[in-house]
Amino acid sequence: MVAAVRTGLQRIDEVPSMEHQPLRHIRDIADIETVPPLLEDPLFGEPLLEGRRARLERFAEILDREPERSFLTLEEIEFVPRGMRAGIRADNSPLALAAADPVLRANGLADDTFGEARRFFGLSTGEAHHLLCSCVNGRTVKAGPTAKRLRRLAARRPGLWLAYACAAGLVALPGTLLLLG
């Protein structure tokens, strides 16, 4: 049996065993990508992305690495029957890039489908549609603007509108009672 190694073909029993190399030496011969400091799972040392905001921020970080890169959008999501929407995907979409990220995968992103993106990133159908559909964005999107949209979504506080509505209702209640009373 033979194995291809840098120096050519050698027999398996002649291939040198693996040895520890400092990171500075490995960078000379390989592309090394460091993961930004995140919370780590104490048992497995995997980065943890707790909550919608952290996951959306990570997705935006990945896109910001190549802001001019073009991606395909998902074809007219609104015309796909509801029961089939979860399975929509496209090669070279922003979701395909997210699904290839080891940190997002380690945190539970299963694949690059519309339904999985909604589940994992905590997106409503409308948010996911606005972010990923061809009817909103055209056939392609650039990574940079998509990252900006993701950051805007991450900054939103989903329950905040409810708090504002309750406050407005309380302010309007005395006037309403006066009019009806």
Side-chain angles (χ1 to χ4, degrees):
M1 180 166 256
V2 275
V5 293
R6 238 179 179 196
T7 57
L9 295 177
Q10 295 180 344
R11 292 173 27 117
I12 288 288
D13 54 349
E14 294 174 358
V15 176
S17 62
M18 249 193 244
E19 58 185 71
H20 176 76
Q21 293 288 326
L23 190 56
R24 66 180 181 276
H25 292 199
I26 295 172
R27 285 189 181 169
D28 293 339
I29 59 171
D31 291 329
I32 304 294
E33 180 180 327
T34 56
V35 176
L38 300 167
L39 296 174
E40 288 192 2
D41 182 336
L43 295 176
F44 302 106
E46 291 289 336
L48 289 178
L49 298 173
E50 303 222 358
R52 167 187 158 110
R53 184 177 194 143
R55 291 173 178 186
L56 289 170
E57 287 287 345
R58 174 65 184 186
F59 192 1
E61 284 174 27
I62 296 164
L63 290 167
D64 269 341
R65 291 178 190 159
E66 298 178 71
E68 292 302 311
R69 182 172 171 184
S70 291
F71 292 97
L72 295 176
T73 55
L74 303 180
E75 269 310 303
E76 302 191 359
I77 295 165
E78 66 276 14
F79 295 118
V80 176
R82 288 184 196 269
M84 297 174 65
R85 284 184 192 163
I88 299 171
R89 63 166 304 281
D91 291 335
N92 191 35
S93 72
L95 296 179
L97 182 68
D101 179 59
V103 174
L104 293 176
R105 296 292 284 208
N107 280 275
L109 181 60
D111 58 40
D112 65 348
T113 60
F114 182 75
E116 179 62 6
R118 286 194 56 225
R119 181 200 67 80
F120 181 77
F121 294 108
L123 299 172
S124 69
T125 301
E127 289 171 330
H129 176 263
H130 184 74
L131 186 68
L132 303 164
C133 189
S134 63
C135 74
V136 176
N137 302 295
R139 296 197 47 102
T140 63
V141 290
K142 294 277 188 193
T146 303
K148 284 181 186 173
R149 283 192 209 113
L150 284 166
R151 286 201 170 86
R152 278 197 303 269
L153 285 173
R156 278 191 197 158
R157 300 192 189 278
L160 200 54
W161 68 269
L162 183 59
Y164 288 139
C166 289
L170 288 174
V171 168
L173 185 62
T176 307
L177 290 175
L178 231 136
L179 284 172
L180 298 176

